[in-house]
Amino acid sequence: MTSVLSRLVLACMLLPCLWMAADAQAVSFPELNSAVPGHQDVTYLDLARMVFPDLAAGANGFYDGTAPIEMRHIAGADDGGSPPATTSLSNAEVLAVKAAGRDRLAMLYDLGYGSDSAEGFAVLALYDLTGKPRLLDAANVAVDRNTSFHEPRKVSIAAGDDAIVTMSTHFNSNQGYAGTMLIMVRNDRFQLIDAIYTFDENYCAYRRTQKLAFRSLGGHKPYAPIKITVTDATVPSEESCNEAPPKATSHDISVTYHWDKAKSRYVKNSDAFEKLSAENEKRF
């Protein structure tokens, strides 16, 4: 279970808080017993029960139940673990998205640790609210302990289509590990575009960060190319440390994804992110 406070603390550690304020309307954290806008007879709890059928009111404003419905991991059958045996939720992250020109609602439920894995378990659910609410798809998108929507939350890949961005993280005293997932919606099903793994360090002598930026290039059908850039920057500190600070450096690592009609998926023009991940592992 991840509380609203812990989610906000996590976001502030990952992003400048100014970004959060600028994008505050894109994602919300409604209480589960509140009504869905435009559907006064439907609550977010009703939507959550499509994923967790036995959710019931518990103590201190939480809703408790057992494991969610069966679902795949977004990265494939060999990834991810089992969900925790019990579920306890007070809210979920909510994000409005477009899919094939239609309005859809994405909800992210972070359940915490899985029952057989050090990774977390986080359900990304897709709903159609145009008539009677329907659950269209659900997938586990966790690749680390804590999972949430991540800046910019969604990327426009066509006039009526958004791709969704999630991030899973964990931290120790000096290091931060992150796995960012870029996920499209196709035929009302989630489809992974790619997973990008980054690594931050914060020591007395320096801070090294790897920040992502997403850009839709437009001008192509049915889906626009997407350029993702990781800025790998080292900033020396002004503290008095036992080691000499490194020089300030910064360089960009970019990969562009194009829609492959024959393969019915995005393909990338480089394995630069795989190389970055391998290099990062040497610093763990």
Side-chain angles (χ1 to χ4, degrees):
M1 177 191 66
T2 303
S3 67
V4 177
L5 179 59
S6 64
R7 290 172 188 262
L8 293 175
V9 170
L10 175 62
C12 284
M13 293 177 70
L14 293 171
L15 302 168
C17 289
L18 180 61
W19 288 8
M20 291 180 62
D23 200 41
Q25 293 183 354
V27 64
S28 60
F29 298 84
E31 294 184 359
L32 292 183
N33 62 359
S34 60
V36 176
H39 297 266
Q40 293 306 308
D41 58 340
V42 178
T43 66
Y44 289 103
L45 178 60
D46 295 324
L47 301 183
R49 281 176 173 156
M50 297 181 190
V51 179
F52 310 93
D54 62 352
L55 272 185
N60 300 319
F62 285 86
Y63 293 84
D64 302 325
T66 54
I69 60 175
E70 187 173 345
M71 66 189 68
R72 71 196 184 283
H73 193 280
I74 192 66
D78 295 332
D79 290 85
S82 300
T86 59
T87 296
S88 187
L89 299 170
S90 63
N91 59 31
E93 289 186 80
V94 175
L95 180 69
V97 296
K98 289 283 190 179
R102 303 181 182 93
D103 292 324
R104 296 291 184 252
L105 189 74
M107 292 183 66
L108 184 59
Y109 308 92
D110 187 4
L111 306 186
Y113 291 107
S115 61
D116 59 357
S117 173
E119 292 181 359
F121 196 99
V123 179
L124 182 63
L126 184 70
Y127 298 92
D128 176 7
L129 302 182
T130 54
K132 181 180 179 180
R134 294 186 299 138
L135 175 67
L136 300 173
D137 195 20
N140 176 17
V141 296
V143 291
D144 210 324
R145 297 176 189 173
N146 304 294
T147 302
S148 61
F149 291 123
H150 179 62
E151 175 76 24
R153 278 84 169 183
K154 56 186 178 182
V155 179
S156 177
I157 56 175
D161 287 277
D162 295 318
I164 298 168
V165 184
T166 67
M167 177 181 276
S168 297
T169 62
H170 84 271
F171 300 90
N172 60 32
S173 59
N174 301 110
Q175 298 172 325
Y177 307 80
T180 301
M181 316 292 275
L182 182 62
I183 302 164
M184 69 183 298
V185 178
R186 188 164 182 264
N187 299 324
D188 280 331
R189 296 269 294 175
F190 293 123
Q191 181 173 321
L192 181 65
I193 296 175
D194 201 9
I196 302 100
Y197 294 90
T198 51
F199 179 57
D200 292 352
E201 293 176 301
N202 191 6
Y203 291 99
C204 177
Y206 69 94
R207 183 181 184 191
R208 182 173 177 179
T209 60
Q210 296 176 344
K211 295 184 178 180
L212 283 85
F214 299 80
R215 182 184 174 194
S216 177
L217 301 181
H220 293 69
K221 293 184 178 181
Y223 302 112
I226 306 165
K227 183 177 182 180
I228 303 178
T229 300
V230 174
T231 299
D232 190 343
T234 299
V235 179
S237 75
E238 298 180 356
E239 301 292 330
S240 177
C241 305
N242 293 328
E243 58 180 315
K247 293 182 179 180
T249 62
S250 179
H251 69 281
D252 290 343
I253 305 161
S254 296
V255 174
T256 300
Y257 300 77
H258 295 270
W259 181 254
D260 188 313
K261 184 177 180 180
K263 296 180 179 179
S264 295
R265 61 180 176 86
Y266 273 96
V267 296
K268 50 193 170 185
N269 68 348
S270 167
D271 63 352
F273 291 156
E274 285 78 2
K275 291 179 179 178
L276 174 65
S277 180
E279 292 170 1
N280 285 340
E281 287 183 8
K282 297 175 183 178
R283 298 190 286 125
F284 288 178

